[in-house]
Amino acid sequence: MTIKSDKWIRRMAASHRMIEPFEPGQVKEAGGQRIVSYGTSSYGYDIRCSEEFKIFTNINSTIVDPKQFDEKSFVDFKGPVCIIPPNSFALARTIEYFRIPRNVLTICLGKSTYARCGIIVNVTPLEPEWEGHVTLEFSNTTPLPARIYANEGVAQVIFIESDEVCETSYRDRGGKYQGQKGVTLPRI
């Protein structure tokens, strides 16, 4: 197993449309302003957050249950900055659409800029032959409101290539989150 380099990521984006839209370098500025970077790094790809959010709320006194998920637990919000209440969380999606090769698994870790502010970015592994927009979870672990900036970097995807192709991929299993487009809530 090997972790894939910037050269491999660029090659796969060009030849297999693995990431769309794709940024071959690191973008650190937009409109003359510094931003949280996104794009290709040495051994990963820094993903961006879209402007679509679902902010957790307890105003409807529902119970969070992954087997019987109540959509009233969230408030939809669209905009360039999302404010997450203290000790709460929000869901979002990536701008990028991914097509993971059959012999690759990805791990995603939050960027240090957010981690240093008490904001944890959680993403499950992207399995072999999974494709879609990635659903992101931002946990605000602080007692203060926290900002998430859309259209900027939020986490890094690391690509791990196996020395042997898997017998059954996510696509083969008919994975329930295959081809997701928007912010996707739990499915059973």
Side-chain angles (χ1 to χ4, degrees):
M1 295 189 109
T2 59
I3 294 175
K4 305 313 286 181
S5 73
D6 50 3
K7 292 186 275 187
W8 181 88
I9 295 166
R10 287 184 195 105
R11 192 168 53 249
M12 292 300 288
S15 65
H16 296 342
R17 298 176 32 223
M18 185 175 73
I19 305 169
E20 289 183 314
F22 177 72
E23 178 54 52
Q26 279 278 296
V27 176
K28 298 178 181 184
E29 188 177 293
Q33 300 287 334
R34 299 256 321 140
I35 62 169
V36 183
S37 63
Y38 67 89
T40 308
S41 62
S42 303
Y43 289 96
Y45 190 85
D46 292 357
I47 55 178
R48 293 173 287 171
C49 176
S50 77
E51 293 189 356
E52 300 170 36
F53 296 91
K54 289 188 178 292
I55 305 168
F56 181 75
T57 179
N58 64 0
I59 60 171
N60 296 315
S61 298
T62 60
I63 295 173
V64 177
D65 183 344
K67 289 185 176 183
Q68 295 179 333
F69 198 79
D70 187 345
E71 290 192 35
K72 292 185 288 187
S73 299
F74 289 94
V75 172
D76 290 327
F77 173 77
K78 187 169 185 170
V81 175
C82 176
I83 306 293
I84 303 175
N87 303 305
S88 190
F89 73 96
L91 297 178
R93 71 164 179 88
T94 57
I95 289 174
E96 296 84 2
Y97 189 92
F98 285 84
R99 292 173 186 85
I100 305 303
R102 189 174 182 96
N103 63 337
V104 172
L105 176 78
T106 74
I107 296 172
C108 189
L109 302 167
K111 289 186 67 84
S112 61
T113 300
Y114 282 110
R116 287 180 170 94
C117 295
I119 299 166
I120 298 169
V121 183
N122 186 29
V123 177
T124 58
L126 307 183
E127 295 190 42
E129 291 198 312
W130 177 85
E131 76 169 73
H133 289 280
V134 179
T135 296
L136 307 163
E137 186 251 333
F138 297 99
S139 292
N140 177 4
T141 65
T142 75
L144 304 169
R147 288 185 176 168
I148 304 297
Y149 293 92
N151 304 304
E152 297 187 24
V154 293
Q156 184 178 76
V157 177
I158 298 167
F159 301 86
I160 303 168
E161 184 178 36
S162 177
D163 55 359
E164 184 174 27
V165 175
C166 63
E167 186 174 310
T168 307
S169 73
Y170 192 81
R171 176 176 289 138
D172 295 340
R173 288 193 320 268
K176 61 187 172 186
Y177 298 110
Q178 185 76 308
Q180 62 190 28
K181 301 272 188 233
V183 179
T184 304
L185 296 174
R187 297 177 182 161
I188 198 124

